């Protein structure tokens, strides 16, 4: 599912546009830097950059895409 243009970031906390909060999570970004997918971090994942902290998402221009605030 991943290609070379995809970047994966692991964070302590993820906050969705509706305010829903998740603990340790991985967000996948496309080549434009928009979030295309996220999931709980339950094990170490290859090719994932640990950035820590909290990422807040906002609704992107296209359905199913999100921006990092």
């Amino acid at each position: 599912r991943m290609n070379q243009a995809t970047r994966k970031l692991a964070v302590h906390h993820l906050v969705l546009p509706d305010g829903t909060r998740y603990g340790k999570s991985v967000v996948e970004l496309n080549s434009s830097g928009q979030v295309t997918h996220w999931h709980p971090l339950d094990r170490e994942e290859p090719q994932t950059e640990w950035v820590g902290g909290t990422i807040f998402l906002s609704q992107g221009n296209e359905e199913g895409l999100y921006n990092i605030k």
Side-chain angles (χ1 to χ4, degrees):
R1 192 171 99 152
M2 280 194 48
N3 60 44
Q4 292 180 339
T6 302
R7 183 176 176 202
K8 291 177 22 176
L9 303 177
V11 296
H12 284 104
H13 305 281
L14 177 66
V15 182
L16 303 185
D18 67 3
T20 303
R21 296 176 171 268
Y22 292 95
K24 292 178 182 171
S25 301
V26 174
V27 295
E28 296 180 20
L29 290 78
N30 63 19
S31 60
S32 299
Q34 292 183 296
V35 176
T36 58
H37 178 76
W38 63 85
H39 61 272
L41 175 65
D42 56 6
R43 60 180 162 58
E44 188 172 326
E45 294 187 27
Q47 301 174 343
T48 301
E49 179 183 350
W50 179 260
V51 294
T54 302
I55 285 183
F56 293 86
L57 298 184
S58 63
Q59 189 66 47
N61 295 344
E62 298 178 40
E63 178 103 12
L65 295 180
Y66 298 85
N67 298 313
I68 296 176
K69 285 187 176 181

